[in-house]
Amino acid sequence: MNTWLISLQNANSPSSELMVFFHDFTMIILILITFMILFSMIFLFFNKMTNRFLLQGHLMEMIWTISPMIILMFIAIPSLKILYITEENHMNKLTIKCMGHQWYWSYEYSDFINIEFNSYMISSNDLMMNEFRLLDTDNRCILPFNLPIRILTSSIDVIHSWTIPSLGIKMDSTPGRLNQSMLYMNRPGLFFGQCSEICGMNHSFMPICLESTNFYNFKNWLFNMINQ
Ligand SMILES: [Cu+2]
């Protein structure tokens, strides 16, 4: 992970890649418009852009009405497309359920014999040298990469939000309601996230730590969990 990261995290899932593309694309348009307005305001301020056709110039009005419409279309079409792609849940091979608690997450792998564990943040005092402060958990959620996974989430007490920025997932965990999303990881690694809904005193201390590994390791881990 980069320190002083001001942009989005590197994408690690197809939907997140699309989101990064959309962010960059929209930013280009946004910067262009901002500078156009800025320059025209500077010119207007110094009285350099006035001419006698500016008022009641129908052509001019047509242009500045239609061109924002076209620009908005260029933003709306990819935006909606990516929105629907992100919502798509198709051919999932695995389902896991993340439950929000005050203030930790628990994971259920109910496709298999019921595997269920809690995932608490490792406190700064117990931290090892290779662990991330305020982000690592005692039991990581371990999942295979290159496999479409269905993520279900709900909450036991108040609203939480299960979020992993590098995977482009932000999903509210609402008590009495089951939300679902699709998770597809491109590569192995550790992916971190934090609860994204103000949920009480320790809201900042219930991180999500997802470990992406190959299917063989995942299978071994599952067998170990079942035999425990
Ligand atoms: Cu929370």
Side-chain angles (χ1 to χ4, degrees):
M1 278 204 284
N2 298 334
T3 43
W4 299 107
L5 187 70
I6 54 164
S7 183
L8 297 169
Q9 284 183 25
N10 287 342
N12 193 50
S13 71
S15 63
S16 159
E17 268 163 18
L18 290 172
M19 285 176 201
V20 171
F21 153 77
F22 182 64
H23 169 266
D24 296 347
F25 174 71
T26 318
M27 267 318 219
I28 291 169
I29 296 175
L30 201 141
I31 290 166
L32 231 112
I33 292 171
T34 311
F35 274 87
M36 247 168 59
I37 302 292
L38 183 77
F39 282 121
S40 56
M41 279 179 81
I42 289 169
F43 283 128
L44 275 171
F45 185 76
F46 293 109
N47 216 2
K48 292 273 164 39
M49 216 177 71
T50 45
N51 70 60
R52 66 200 174 94
F53 301 111
L54 197 67
L55 296 175
Q56 293 184 1
H58 289 293
L59 182 70
M60 189 90 98
E61 287 203 11
M62 286 280 274
I63 290 168
W64 72 42
T65 312
I66 290 170
S67 55
M69 259 170 58
I70 294 168
I71 293 170
L72 282 178
M73 290 259 284
F74 270 100
I75 297 174
I77 290 167
S79 168
L80 286 171
K81 188 184 153 195
I82 294 166
L83 183 73
Y84 282 101
I85 288 173
T86 310
E87 284 285 299
E88 187 65 47
N89 251 293
H90 189 56
M91 300 281 279
N92 294 307
K93 301 287 186 291
L94 197 69
T95 299
I96 67 154
K97 192 164 133 199
C98 326
M99 296 296 281
H101 305 252
Q102 276 176 322
W103 290 273
Y104 60 96
W105 293 96
S106 68
Y107 297 95
E108 292 171 30
Y109 294 63
S110 23
D111 281 347
F112 317 97
I113 306 168
N114 205 20
I115 297 175
E116 200 178 327
F117 56 88
N118 297 333
S119 168
Y120 284 92
M121 186 190 80
I122 300 175
S123 78
S124 303
N125 300 329
D126 307 331
L127 217 57
M128 306 289 270
M129 286 298 277
N130 60 341
E131 288 167 343
F132 292 90
R133 193 177 79 91
L134 303 180
L135 286 176
D136 242 310
T137 55
D138 55 355
N139 291 310
R140 289 166 174 167
C141 174
I142 296 176
L143 288 170
F145 64 91
N146 277 348
L147 195 87
I149 299 164
R150 183 166 66 142
I151 294 270
L152 298 174
T153 189
S154 184
S155 172
I156 302 289
D157 33 55
V158 297
I159 305 176
H160 300 272
S161 185
W162 199 85
T163 308
I164 295 196
S166 64
L167 299 178
I169 291 184
K170 179 164 285 179
M171 195 170 39
D172 273 7
S173 313
T174 315
R177 197 190 140 92
L178 207 60
N179 285 336
Q180 69 168 3
S181 184
M182 217 263 280
L183 190 145
Y184 185 97
M185 292 177 288
N186 288 340
R187 55 183 75 84
L190 275 179
F191 309 115
F192 296 102
Q194 286 165 308
C195 177
S196 297
E197 184 71 54
I198 307 283
C199 59
M201 193 178 70
N202 287 337
H203 160 68
S204 331
F205 307 112
M206 48 179 297
I208 297 136
C209 180
L210 207 151
E211 189 173 329
S212 161
T213 183
N214 62 36
F215 195 82
Y216 181 74
N217 285 345
F218 173 70
K219 200 184 71 188
N220 282 345
W221 175 79
L222 275 182
F223 280 130
N224 284 334
M225 289 297 277
I226 291 168
N227 293 331
Q228 256 179 20

